[in-house]
Amino acid sequence: MNGTGDPFRIQLLGPIRAWRRDEEVALGSPKQRAVLSLLASRAGEVVSGETIAGALWGSDAPQTAANGVHTYVARLRRALEPGRGCRDASTVLSSEPGGYCLRVDPASVDATLFVERHGHARRSREGGSAETTLRMYEDALALWRGEAYSGVPGPFAAVEGVRLRDMRLTAVEEWAAVMLEAGQYAEAVDALSRAVSEEPLREKLRWLLMLALYHAGRQAHALSVYTETRQLLSRELGIEPGAELQDLHRWILAGQQELRPLGGRMPRRTREGLGAGVPRPAQLPSMARGFTGRDTELRQLEGLLDDEFAQRGTPVIVVDGAAGVGKSALVLELAHRLAHRFPDGQLYVDLCGNGLRGRPLSASDALLQLLTSIGADSARIPRDVTGRATLYRSLLYGKRMLVVLDDALSVDQLRPLIPRGESCVVATSRQRFGGLAARDGARTLTVKPLADAEAAHLLTNLSAGRLTGDPGAARRLAALCGGLPLALRITAERLTASPGVPPGTLVEQYAEESGRLDRLTMEDDALASVRDAFETSYQALSGEAARMFRFLGLSKDGPITVPVAASLTDTDRDTARRLLDLLVANHLLEAQGHQFRFHDLLGIYAAECAKREPMLNRRAALARLAAASRVAPRERVADDDRGLACAVVLA
């Protein structure tokens, strides 16, 4: 029994182990341990079978993956609850709509407890005594029993292992800084020497070790650490030590006595590059022409960044929203405004998540691009994603750099690209990354279409005077575009390219739904097509979610509720709810209380997708919806059932 009162205790910070009332549980094969480690890292959350398969096999999942996951879960249930009858439902590893849930206290998982204790120690540094703060750090670090996720196969374990290892080294650095501030130099030297041998390319550790040696009266040893570091970086990466290490080396040579860690951070000085011959990266693309509005969103994003820096973390912000809503334009506007706050430069990677600009980049490919940008010798960059992620974090640690990651497809693509220290990551995606927020502390902001006045203002500004003096046409066109910036920019180009066509004519053309998406397309550019933008979001859905989207297109103008969705797709309400939530998370549907709705343009596209279903399937779906409306109990007052009859009429 652990301190939480939960009979289970699970170890992820070392070989995967579990105990039930202090008796160790036989967890079985490595893949079974991998399943348990994933579920334990998300204790109390529902994890889908697809997510588990991805964690085990990545993109190489076999056709039997679903059966394999089911088998591993069944075996884990028998191991965790040996006295449970074969017909009794599991109370520990339960089946839920949408997946499986490990029902243990998150604090009974050592990795979760480490993150919590590390946070308490960090907060104690702001006002607690050195003795209390050191004890908190030591309590957190004492949880480790080896490499995190040791012996566990699969991409999830590899990425999580790197992430937690980096957090542990960060905790060691912060603990060492407090030790130095307290004058405990000899003890700090021992711990830092072990950490440097484990992570030899991490400059912050070497900086602290040099400082500890110097204050312990071992100036020669401190200088030898610098010489060793310089030779190692030159041999492995082809670069010179960072400015902070060079400064410390020079100060030690000069015999300066008042060298102290500044809150655990290396002192900074402005510099031109990352190393010898490496220019300061300035990779931000140009800002969108005519950018307007979004004042509220920009203030929110700047506030989130300030909050994260105040907590001395690595800010990670993900801006999500529907295709064409202007996520990239917003993030680039923010990045250009804040560039001066990142003296080491700005990195930019287009992750190509929507597929319109080529195949999505893997995390490994993106890391190669980033490492090359910061001066790593391409011949010495590791081939595996874990090695590349480790090198990337090592090279960026102690630097203040802005990293913009545009159009992320998945959390697994994004997570290895997050550095530690004083850099900042701002990403965009068409999906909500709830897991990244829950487990990595990322902050998210969802971008909506422009308000009516902002949309009309953008359209007028971009139309080369075509709408000047005709605010009514501007408002109507903006409304027919649904406030979607991509649609507004295409419309502005049509107005500019056809000076002889009155704006009122374009309003009449757009009013016809059947041809509106055809007109919101520039024939010579796949990136300037509202339909193509929606199509890539649709293609990224799972088969069952895509089927739900098609059938909802039969009732796009009606109130979409869980019963409506269940009737259209001939499924149960729990499954329907899960699929509706998935469409909302992918910004293909909007939730409004107990009901759901399409954005106007997405509704038109969904109706087009509905026609991909055979006519017999469409007729059967509408017949089911009509039948459900007739038999809906009169005494039921839920909003869900009130929408059935109306949906049938409108469909």
Side-chain angles (χ1 to χ4, degrees):
M1 187 80 69
N2 57 45
T4 68
D6 195 298
F8 285 97
R9 180 164 55 90
I10 299 174
Q11 174 179 292
L12 303 182
L13 303 179
I16 305 302
R17 301 173 69 185
W19 294 264
R20 186 174 188 272
R21 294 192 175 89
D22 296 327
E23 181 178 346
E24 186 161 5
V25 177
L27 297 176
S29 69
K31 278 195 166 56
Q32 277 180 221
R33 293 171 185 265
V35 172
L36 178 66
S37 66
L38 170 62
L39 294 171
S41 72
R42 303 183 184 182
E45 300 177 20
V46 176
V47 182
S48 70
E50 291 179 355
T51 299
I52 297 174
L56 294 177
W57 294 285
S59 59
D60 297 324
Q63 293 183 345
T64 58
N67 290 335
V69 169
H70 180 77
T71 299
Y72 295 138
V73 168
R75 290 174 179 172
L76 281 172
R77 283 172 173 159
R78 288 196 293 271
L80 294 171
E81 298 178 278
R84 181 177 60 88
C86 61
R87 295 183 180 275
D88 296 335
S90 174
T91 58
V92 178
L93 210 176
S94 60
S95 294
E96 305 289 341
Y100 304 97
C101 180
L102 184 64
R103 298 195 172 280
V104 299
D105 188 332
S108 68
V109 181
D110 61 354
T112 304
L113 191 57
F114 167 71
V115 173
E116 179 182 309
R117 289 182 179 179
H118 183 205
H120 291 329
R122 278 185 155 181
R123 287 188 287 275
S124 177
R125 291 185 70 188
E126 301 299 329
S129 67
E131 181 181 359
T132 300
T133 301
L134 287 170
R135 185 174 64 252
M136 288 182 171
Y137 274 111
E138 288 158 5
D139 287 346
L141 291 167
L143 293 168
W144 286 77
R145 295 291 183 271
E147 289 294 325
Y149 292 83
S150 176
V152 174
F156 170 79
V159 172
E160 275 295 281
V162 170
R163 183 182 74 89
L164 287 167
R165 182 171 183 260
D166 188 81
M167 289 186 67
R168 178 172 63 83
L169 291 172
T170 298
V172 170
E173 291 167 348
E174 294 167 352
W175 168 86
V178 179
M179 290 285 283
L180 296 183
E181 291 164 359
Q184 301 182 40
Y185 307 122
E187 297 92 333
V189 166
D190 291 339
L192 287 167
S193 297
R194 290 192 298 271
V196 165
S197 65
E198 178 184 346
E199 189 67 51
L201 294 174
R202 194 167 173 121
E203 291 189 40
K204 174 67 176 295
L205 286 172
R206 290 181 173 270
W207 184 87
L208 286 164
L209 177 57
M210 287 175 61
L211 195 61
L213 286 166
Y214 179 67
H215 282 298
R218 300 167 62 182
Q219 181 177 356
H221 287 89
L223 294 173
S224 70
V225 169
Y226 179 81
T227 301
E228 175 191 295
T229 303
R230 189 170 185 269
Q231 293 171 347
L232 177 69
L233 292 174
S234 176
R235 183 176 66 251
E236 297 294 327
L237 306 176
I239 63 175
E240 289 293 314
E244 293 82 7
L245 271 176
Q246 293 182 35
D247 286 344
L248 181 59
H249 177 247
R250 185 172 62 256
W251 294 334
I252 291 174
L253 285 173
Q256 291 194 18
Q257 297 300 313
E258 296 302 319
L259 293 178
R260 291 287 185 275
L262 304 177
R265 300 182 183 187
M266 294 186 284
R268 306 198 53 80
R269 68 176 169 89
T270 304
R271 44 192 185 158
E272 296 301 318
L274 297 170
V278 181
R280 175 181 177 273
Q283 299 180 347
L284 295 178
S286 59
M287 293 182 286
R289 182 175 69 89
F291 182 88
T292 190
R294 304 298 193 195
D295 292 336
T296 300
E297 291 89 343
L298 287 166
R299 282 195 301 271
Q300 289 175 323
L301 289 170
E302 290 194 43
L304 291 176
L305 285 173
D306 291 339
D307 288 347
E308 290 298 305
F309 277 127
Q311 296 176 27
R312 303 169 74 171
T314 301
V316 179
I317 295 177
V318 182
V319 176
D320 59 61
V325 80
K327 302 177 295 294
S328 298
L330 174 62
V331 163
L332 288 176
E333 180 74 18
L334 175 75
H336 281 279
R337 290 188 182 191
L338 301 181
H340 67 281
R341 295 172 60 176
F342 299 92
D344 291 313
Q346 313 97 43
L347 295 169
Y348 175 87
V349 180
D350 183 353
L351 297 172
C352 300
N354 62 44
L356 284 173
R357 294 178 295 277
R359 70 174 181 83
L361 264 65
S362 66
S364 184
D365 290 341
L367 283 166
L368 178 61
Q369 182 176 328
L370 288 164
L371 286 167
T372 303
S373 298
I374 57 179
D377 185 345
S378 59
R380 295 169 177 169
I381 295 175
R383 292 182 175 273
D384 63 295
V385 66
T386 302
R388 288 179 176 181
T390 300
L391 177 58
Y392 167 69
R393 290 187 175 114
S394 298
L395 291 178
L396 258 62
Y397 200 87
K399 298 173 175 60
R400 194 177 181 94
M401 191 172 292
L402 177 61
V403 183
V404 177
L405 303 171
D406 202 6
D407 195 19
L409 178 63
S410 67
V411 171
D412 291 338
Q413 182 193 39
L414 192 59
R415 187 172 277 128
L417 312 182
I418 299 173
R420 299 295 170 193
E422 297 180 71
S423 291
C424 168
V425 174
V426 182
T428 70
S429 179
R430 295 183 183 182
Q431 302 177 43
R432 290 180 186 165
F433 290 155
L436 196 71
R439 294 172 49 221
D440 299 81
R443 309 291 289 271
T444 61
L445 177 73
T446 297
V447 180
K448 301 290 187 181
L450 290 169
D452 293 344
E454 291 180 337
H457 183 65
L458 175 62
L459 186 58
T460 301
N461 283 353
L462 295 176
S463 299
R466 291 296 318 281
L467 293 172
T468 303
D470 195 352
R475 286 194 299 271
R476 289 193 294 274
L477 283 171
L480 290 166
C481 290
L484 202 68
L486 176 59
L488 293 166
R489 290 180 178 276
I490 294 171
T491 301
E493 176 57 28
R494 287 197 172 279
L495 286 165
T496 303
S498 305
V501 178
T505 300
L506 201 59
V507 171
E508 293 174 2
Q509 293 173 348
Y510 275 35
E512 295 293 330
E513 282 192 359
S514 59
R516 196 182 307 172
L517 293 184
D518 292 329
R519 293 182 172 87
L520 290 173
T521 297
M522 304 305 295
E523 298 297 337
D524 59 344
D525 189 352
L527 296 177
S529 167
V530 172
R531 180 185 283 114
D532 287 350
F534 291 163
E535 177 71 15
T536 55
S537 293
Y538 167 78
Q539 291 295 338
L541 295 172
S542 64
E544 58 178 351
R547 178 175 179 269
M548 172 65 78
F549 183 79
R550 292 194 299 274
F551 277 108
L552 291 180
L554 296 172
S555 183
K556 73 177 184 68
D557 295 319
I560 298 173
T561 62
V562 171
V564 166
S567 297
L568 285 170
T569 55
D570 196 20
T571 189
D572 61 85
R573 293 191 179 189
D574 287 340
T575 300
R577 179 76 203 202
R578 174 174 61 84
L579 294 175
L580 290 170
D581 289 342
L582 186 59
L583 293 177
V584 171
N586 282 270
H587 295 291
L588 289 167
L589 197 65
E590 299 173 7
Q592 294 184 330
H594 294 289
Q595 297 187 357
F596 302 82
R597 67 175 291 274
F598 284 114
H599 178 277
D600 290 346
L601 297 181
L602 269 168
I604 296 172
Y605 173 72
E608 291 183 0
C609 289
K611 295 178 182 177
R612 302 180 189 183
E613 285 290 329
M615 178 62 75
L616 288 177
N617 290 359
R618 284 182 270 160
R619 288 177 175 171
L622 292 174
R624 287 192 300 270
L625 188 58
S629 174
R630 288 193 296 271
V631 302
R634 292 183 181 275
E635 66 274 11
R636 183 173 294 167
V637 296
D639 290 343
D640 284 353
D641 290 308
R642 288 179 184 151
L644 278 170
C646 184
V648 173
V649 172
L650 291 171

